[in-house]
Amino acid sequence: MTDAFVLGGTRTPVGRYAGSLSHIRVDDLLGQTMVWACERVGVPLERVEDIAAGCVNPAHEGMGDIARWAALAAGFPDSVPAITLNRFCASSLSCAISIAHAIRSEECSLGLAAGVESMSRSGWALMKGEAPFMPRGPVFMLDTMWAGAGGPPNPALLARNAYIEMMLTAQNVADRYGLTREEIDAFALRSHQHAAAARDSGRLAAEIHPVEIAATRKQPARVFEHDESIRGDTSAEKLAALPAQPNTTQMTAGNSSPLNDGASAVVLASAGAAQQLGVEPLARVVSSATYALDPQVMGIAPAFAIPKALARAGLAPADVDVWEVHEAYAAQALGVLRELPRQLDGFEVPDERLNPNGGAVAIGHPFGSSGTRYVLTLATELRLREARYGVLGVCVGSGQGVALVLENPRAA
């Protein structure tokens, strides 16, 4: 078995819902980001052997296999295959793991993992009747952003409340671990403060490819280069003043990840392919793991996936220099941090090693894009810190969790 390496990649700035990226077709957003990733690493498009891209809601402009359509629209040769994968919030992380598996089994020497989501452009789905030529009447229409591009709910899943709103799962996690509103808001504030510092220092710019925004009747042409959802000017007082969302007691717009648009992509390759290209690998893929539990407490699955990945890597928790824990909600991330010591013999993640550049509460969470964004962020952070090991864990709607361990070859 050969090793798989992350050679590098890029991402767009994360746009707000109806913000700077909302006018860009989702297939174009993905396609141009994949091209930029190859250009940044120095990989000819024809050299890519396979593409796997994550997208939770491809049922509008994506028309199914958005990875293939995006690649063709962006100028990849017809000979480059592509597949779209949907594991909700960990879609593109699962893509990176899938490409890494193919490389490690020597069935591929260089591939592209990517992800995209345009929550602004999610369409509506009209449901067909169950019988042919049904008479006209009321039409059942779904907002595909919330339905995950699916059809009418399954009665068996409705009976067990498997389609529970994600915000309610965050409240369930908060209740399970006895989290207070104050500590939830404090974690959200931490996310914004760290993200704002990373933006202002130029750290986030190291992974972002600016997007040129065409002129409109109301605005001149401009360059979009910073994540739109970061609130460096927020405070504990401002967060505390926000009302709880319906059917929750502690979840607010300020301690939840926002609705976003964005895309990201990373190039993975074998050591031989990297050497042929003359590219120094950014990180080595060490191990990965998945886990699943009751959808009612969706957010805590990374607390079980991460220990599995560390065990497969032969690492102790203290060996990990950077921890990236997905922040779908501040309460959900805190739940993971509360559960991890139970799974890691009492080890608590040091604050200075946790989400050093903020997380999704501040930066944003375009569903399909977040996984490869985390891969790029973690690999880049390990290189900049001259640190050796990093781990990332992403929670997944429906009660799953995915984890990945990376190593900085320079520190090996």
Side-chain angles (χ1 to χ4, degrees):
M1 186 176 70
T2 188
D3 281 322
F5 294 90
V6 178
L7 301 190
T10 194
R11 69 175 180 92
T12 68
V14 177
R16 288 196 308 266
Y17 186 79
S20 292
L21 298 179
S22 61
H23 69 289
I24 303 177
R25 287 179 57 101
V26 66
D27 44 5
D28 287 335
L29 188 63
L30 174 61
Q32 66 186 19
T33 304
M34 296 193 300
V35 170
W36 291 336
C38 291
E39 291 175 345
R40 177 169 288 198
V41 175
V43 173
L45 300 188
E46 64 272 13
R47 181 66 180 79
V48 177
E49 297 174 35
D50 201 3
I51 294 172
C55 185
V56 175
N57 182 15
H60 43 300
E61 293 163 343
M63 297 184 295
D65 190 358
I66 189 173
R68 174 63 172 171
W69 299 129
L72 292 175
F76 282 83
D78 293 354
S79 59
V80 178
I83 183 173
T84 302
L85 189 151
N86 183 353
R87 200 201 287 262
F88 296 129
C89 305
S91 295
S92 56
L93 175 56
S94 295
C95 289
I97 292 170
S98 178
I99 294 292
H101 285 171
I103 292 170
R104 294 171 77 175
S105 64
E106 301 184 2
E107 293 184 354
C108 175
S109 66
L110 189 145
L112 188 64
V116 68
E117 207 72 44
S118 180
M119 299 171 82
S120 297
R121 299 177 72 85
S122 294
W124 296 87
L126 299 177
M127 297 296 105
K128 287 184 176 180
E130 295 182 359
F133 310 112
M134 289 185 68
R136 295 175 179 175
V139 176
F140 183 43
M141 188 166 66
L142 286 172
D143 180 344
T144 58
M145 184 175 73
W146 299 117
N154 187 303
L157 297 179
L158 280 175
R160 58 169 297 183
N161 197 22
Y163 296 117
I164 180 173
E165 294 178 35
M166 293 299 96
M167 187 168 283
L168 299 186
T169 71
Q171 185 63 63
N172 288 343
V173 169
D175 294 341
R176 170 177 286 201
Y177 293 96
L179 303 175
T180 67
R181 170 70 183 270
E182 290 74 22
E183 61 187 327
I184 294 170
D185 283 349
F187 190 88
L189 179 60
R190 177 195 187 278
S191 185
H192 281 283
Q193 290 175 335
H194 281 61
R199 176 198 61 199
D200 296 344
S201 70
R203 164 61 186 87
L204 294 182
E207 58 194 54
I208 288 176
H209 190 292
V211 180
E212 294 184 3
I213 306 297
T216 66
R217 288 185 299 172
K218 295 183 179 181
Q219 285 187 323
R222 60 190 176 92
V223 177
F224 175 44
E225 53 187 342
H226 296 298
D227 300 316
E228 282 186 308
S229 297
I230 299 173
R231 295 288 180 266
D233 60 348
T234 193
S235 65
E237 292 74 22
K238 290 180 179 178
L239 291 172
L242 295 172
Q245 292 295 296
N247 302 314
T248 77
T249 57
Q250 296 160 303
M251 304 304 110
T252 73
N255 59 36
S256 308
S257 61
L259 307 182
N260 296 106
D261 308 329
S264 60
V266 292
V267 179
L268 296 101
S270 65
Q275 187 175 20
Q276 290 174 358
L277 291 165
V279 178
E280 180 187 9
L282 191 60
R284 180 176 73 91
V285 176
V286 182
S287 66
S288 63
T290 56
Y291 192 85
L293 41 65
D294 189 337
Q296 298 293 314
V297 284
M298 173 279 304
I300 61 171
F304 302 89
I306 287 173
K308 285 179 65 177
L310 293 178
R312 289 173 179 172
L315 296 177
D319 296 329
V320 179
D321 302 295
V322 181
W323 298 69
E324 286 286 344
V325 175
H326 179 48
E327 301 172 3
Y329 300 89
Q332 162 270 318
L334 281 171
V336 171
L337 295 172
R338 291 286 179 86
E339 182 62 40
L340 272 172
R342 304 180 187 183
Q343 306 301 321
L344 295 173
D345 297 324
F347 178 86
E348 295 187 6
V349 179
D351 185 73
E352 67 274 11
R353 299 186 183 187
L354 173 69
N355 296 4
N357 304 296
V361 165
I363 292 173
H365 178 31
F367 298 145
S369 173
S370 288
T372 37
R373 199 277 287 178
Y374 281 123
V375 173
L376 178 61
T377 295
L378 180 57
T380 303
E381 191 66 21
L382 290 174
R383 177 58 54 85
L384 292 175
R385 288 185 173 219
E386 299 181 348
R388 184 168 184 181
Y389 290 111
V391 65
L392 68 92
V394 176
C395 63
V396 178
S398 77
Q400 302 182 74
V402 183
L404 180 70
V405 177
L406 297 179
E407 179 188 36
N408 175 7
R410 285 188 183 177

